[in-house]
Amino acid sequence: MSRRLTPYLLIAPLLAFIAVFTYLPILSSVNLSFREWDFLTDGKPWVGMENYRLVLSSSEFWNAVRVTGIFALISVPLRLALALAIASYLVREALPQRLLRGALFLPSVTSTVAIAVVFSWLFATDYGVINAALATFGIPKVYWLQNPQLALWVIVLVNTWKQLGYDIVLYIAGLQAISKDLYDAAEIDGGGRFHVFRRVTVPLVMPTTYFLLVISVIEAFQVFTVVDVMTRGGPAGATDMIVNMLYRVGFTLFDIGQGSAIAVLLFVLLIALAIFKARVLGRRVHYEA
Amino acid sequence: MKPETLWTGAALVAGLLFLSPVLYTIWMSVLTVDSYYAGDPVLTLDNYRTAFGQYDFLRYLLNSLLVSGVVTLGGLALAVMAAFAFARFDFPGGDFLFAAVVATLMIPGHITLIPNYLTLARVGLLDTYAGLILPAISNGFAAFFLRQYIRGIPRALDEAAYMDGATPLQVLWRVIVPLARPAILSMGLYIFITEWNNYIWPLVAISDSDLYTLQIGLAKLYRENPGEDVINWPLVMAASTITILPILIGFLAVERHLVRGITMGAVK
């Protein structure tokens, strides 16, 4: 193998897979989003912006955008705040900290389906552990997953429980990179614990916070599994995320055109978020850190 | 009692409390249905017998192992080769191609769902193992991560091997792969776990129950719970345990590698 060709041959297999299963599908999605098709018929007539018009004028889509937005807005800050607080305790290399780290990290590598099933049982109206516990205090049955006011909160809780450990691990790594001198200096200056946390820890882990913010917002906008298993978007659309709608339109209603339009809109939304974060937040992080 | 012992005890309790949903799942999976609903525990392994026998979870388990195993090996092979090329060769278009690989990290997987389904349908790979495996094999993150790691390996080692007449593939296999083993191992675990827990793609690509992975088998069992008025929770929990346990055991064995993989990728 000639030395000049070698690098191309080495990357060719990876690039071939990426081209076929990532880049071409993006183009294909855009193309399909302008067509009307139900998987079965032969023709795929071009309908221009019709699919976008239908999606953008449906209350279902805006509900999904709203629900996904609320989910991201609640669950991301909650996760990051909890994770940083816990990580700053777990950063020490002693036995209790190591034990807790393992326990908190475990859910983030475990099956989301299994977790969703288990929490469905915890929050089940009849024979569920939580209602059983509440009953001992004389509190009547709560319809956790059937009540539109509550279901999204349960989804947020399950997601937080699952992802928290991942955030904690990254925060611990970020905290370990902070020089100990800075803490000593801050303590000599007579800062209390909270003061040191606010003035030293929070600004110095900004790069980690920024990284986590980026990936967890992207993740939040693609949440699917927990919802699909626990509520299927219900009750009355209260937990219907964008991807759940995409799945429903594409694979249960077989509307390829509208399904593709939703996928393209999600793509554009995430790109816009990424640009916004790079422009606005990216600058602030460098400024503060 | 020494304060340290006290703290260790408290941490243990907190950890167990946090993991109580998982622990409760395992506990429930060994109760008879009647005793669960009666609130008077009677232990049994019948739920596992039912899950493995009547409900084919042995098959789902093997499917998951096969699919995750092949995706891991294939994904690592592609990523290691590309990472080596990007780390060690200076070639026209290299930066552009690397950017094309890294850009896949920013692309939401769900945009590829419908077109990938159509592609596989066109070539007759729906409801096949290949259909489950192929779209998951390329892993831009693994390539990016391994490239960073390989760049940290002294170049003099490659040069020495080239002086001895080694070919690039020999250098990759004999020098780079052994030295990058910790990173490759971490990445392999990460890929395996991600694929093991993959849900939406098998949900779309597979309708033949012989090809269900554990995730799909469990979701179907929970949702459809055939022929029962009340959900058979102990059976569902046995199925959940079968889905969680392999990862749980693996996790305990390799937590350190896993944590390193995640943090190295993020911090750099």
Side-chain angles (χ1 to χ4, degrees):
Chain A
M1 147 162 97
S2 124
R3 196 79 202 259
R4 218 148 36 95
L5 270 182
T6 306
Y8 296 103
L9 292 174
L10 285 169
I11 56 178
L14 179 70
L15 284 176
F17 272 90
I18 287 179
V20 172
F21 293 110
T22 302
Y23 283 114
L24 286 178
I26 294 172
L27 299 177
S28 173
S29 277
V30 174
N31 176 26
L32 288 166
S33 73
F34 293 117
R35 293 172 186 276
E36 192 184 314
W37 194 34
D38 61 0
F39 274 134
L40 303 170
T41 45
D42 273 341
K44 299 175 206 168
W46 181 274
V47 294
M49 297 300 287
E50 183 64 9
N51 289 318
Y52 289 97
R53 199 186 62 74
L54 286 170
V55 168
L56 289 172
S57 64
S58 75
S59 58
E60 199 185 343
F61 177 73
W62 291 109
N63 174 63
V65 171
R66 193 180 57 87
V67 171
T68 314
I70 294 173
F71 173 77
L73 222 56
I74 301 168
S75 75
V76 173
L78 179 70
R79 268 172 59 180
L80 295 196
L82 276 175
L84 180 57
I86 296 171
S88 53
Y89 166 67
L90 292 185
V91 69
R92 282 189 52 219
E93 288 290 342
L95 186 62
Q97 279 83 359
R98 290 216 314 272
L99 288 172
L100 255 180
R101 261 189 235 173
L104 292 169
F105 183 48
L106 181 72
S108 69
V109 296
T110 303
S111 154
T112 311
V113 175
I115 284 173
V117 168
V118 171
F119 274 87
S120 299
W121 161 67
L122 290 175
F123 283 99
T125 313
D126 300 306
Y127 302 104
V129 174
I130 290 170
N131 275 355
L134 292 177
T136 61
F137 297 106
I139 298 169
K141 270 183 203 171
V142 179
Y143 291 81
W144 296 103
L145 294 169
Q146 292 81 16
N147 180 340
Q149 311 287 309
L150 294 176
L152 188 60
W153 291 95
V154 176
I155 301 285
V156 168
L157 178 98
V158 176
N159 186 68
T160 306
W161 183 80
K162 173 155 171 59
Q163 299 294 344
L164 193 62
Y166 177 83
D167 304 348
I168 290 174
V169 165
L170 284 189
Y171 266 132
I172 289 175
L175 289 168
Q176 281 169 342
I178 299 176
S179 155
K180 190 134 188 338
D181 300 348
L182 285 168
Y183 283 105
D184 296 341
E187 260 162 50
I188 291 165
D189 283 352
R193 245 182 150 166
F194 181 71
H195 182 81
V196 174
F197 179 76
R198 215 164 62 97
R199 292 287 167 181
V200 181
T201 309
V202 172
L204 286 174
V205 290
M206 254 317 163
T208 309
T209 303
Y210 179 61
F211 174 82
L212 282 174
L213 195 62
V214 172
I215 59 161
S216 46
V217 169
I218 291 177
E219 240 172 52
F221 272 86
Q222 299 188 73
V223 103
F224 171 78
T225 307
V226 176
V227 171
D228 187 61
V229 174
M230 292 186 81
T231 61
R232 290 213 149 161
T239 60
D240 199 28
M241 308 286 172
I242 299 173
V243 179
N244 294 89
M245 185 187 174
L246 161 62
Y247 175 77
R248 190 168 57 244
V249 171
F251 293 97
T252 61
L253 304 175
F254 304 113
D255 191 328
I256 296 302
Q258 283 192 46
S260 298
I262 296 169
V264 172
L265 289 169
L266 175 64
F267 184 61
V268 171
L269 183 70
L270 286 176
I271 301 266
L273 275 175
I275 292 171
F276 170 77
K277 276 180 300 205
R279 285 271 168 86
V280 182
L281 290 176
R283 210 175 291 150
R284 275 194 60 191
V285 170
H286 293 300
Y287 179 66
E288 287 181 14
Chain B
M1 221 191 298
K2 279 195 300 188
E4 259 131 273
T5 325
L6 214 63
W7 275 116
T8 308
L12 212 57
V13 171
L16 290 178
L17 210 63
F18 186 78
L19 289 183
S20 58
V22 175
L23 301 172
Y24 220 152
T25 302
I26 298 170
W27 162 244
M28 228 167 111
S29 74
V30 292
L31 299 181
T32 63
V33 187
D34 296 341
S35 78
Y36 167 68
Y37 285 111
D40 180 23
V42 178
L43 299 185
T44 176
L45 284 176
D46 278 354
N47 300 312
Y48 288 91
R49 249 170 249 140
T50 311
F52 281 131
Q54 201 181 329
Y55 286 102
D56 255 354
F57 268 74
L58 183 60
R59 182 155 189 136
Y60 307 158
L61 177 69
L62 295 174
N63 285 343
S64 277
L65 279 171
L66 175 80
V67 171
S68 307
V70 175
V71 166
T72 304
L73 292 178
L76 281 180
L78 296 193
V80 166
M81 285 195 296
F84 174 55
F86 285 128
R88 287 298 204 247
F89 291 83
D90 216 6
F91 53 100
D95 289 341
F96 172 75
L97 294 174
F98 184 64
V101 171
V102 175
T104 62
L105 304 183
M106 304 295 284
I107 295 166
H110 300 115
I111 195 174
T112 61
L113 212 56
I114 290 173
N116 280 347
Y117 177 86
L118 297 174
T119 307
L120 293 184
R122 203 177 309 131
V123 292
L125 286 180
L126 286 179
D127 270 323
T128 64
Y129 286 113
L132 277 176
I133 290 165
L134 292 176
I137 279 208
S138 70
N139 195 316
F141 177 66
F144 168 73
F145 172 83
L146 292 172
R147 170 193 179 256
Q148 303 300 95
Y149 193 90
I150 291 171
R151 274 156 62 111
I153 297 171
R155 231 179 158 131
L157 295 169
D158 306 24
E159 299 304 335
Y162 283 123
M163 297 280 246
D164 289 341
T167 65
L169 274 185
Q170 284 169 329
V171 171
L172 173 59
W173 190 245
R174 300 243 175 90
V175 180
I176 300 294
V177 168
L179 288 171
R181 242 189 64 171
I184 294 173
L185 193 67
S186 296
M187 208 69 271
L189 290 168
Y190 170 82
I191 298 175
F192 188 89
I193 290 171
T194 308
E195 187 51 33
W196 184 274
N197 295 330
N198 191 356
Y199 177 62
I200 195 166
W201 179 248
L203 186 66
V204 166
I206 299 299
S207 49
D208 178 354
S209 65
D210 280 350
L211 290 159
Y212 281 178
T213 58
L214 280 174
Q215 313 304 328
I216 305 298
L218 175 58
K220 299 265 181 197
L221 174 70
Y222 166 63
R223 282 241 196 78
E224 290 161 15
N225 210 42
E228 315 264 346
D229 291 336
V230 191
I231 293 179
N232 184 343
W233 282 115
L235 173 64
V236 171
M237 291 307 154
S240 300
T241 305
I242 295 166
T243 308
I244 293 174
L245 215 55
I247 296 290
L248 188 85
I249 294 166
F251 173 80
L252 294 175
V254 300
E255 188 204 337
R256 197 161 297 220
H257 293 286
L258 208 60
V259 167
R260 191 180 50 206
I262 288 173
T263 51
M264 274 199 310
V267 173
K268 285 216 170 144

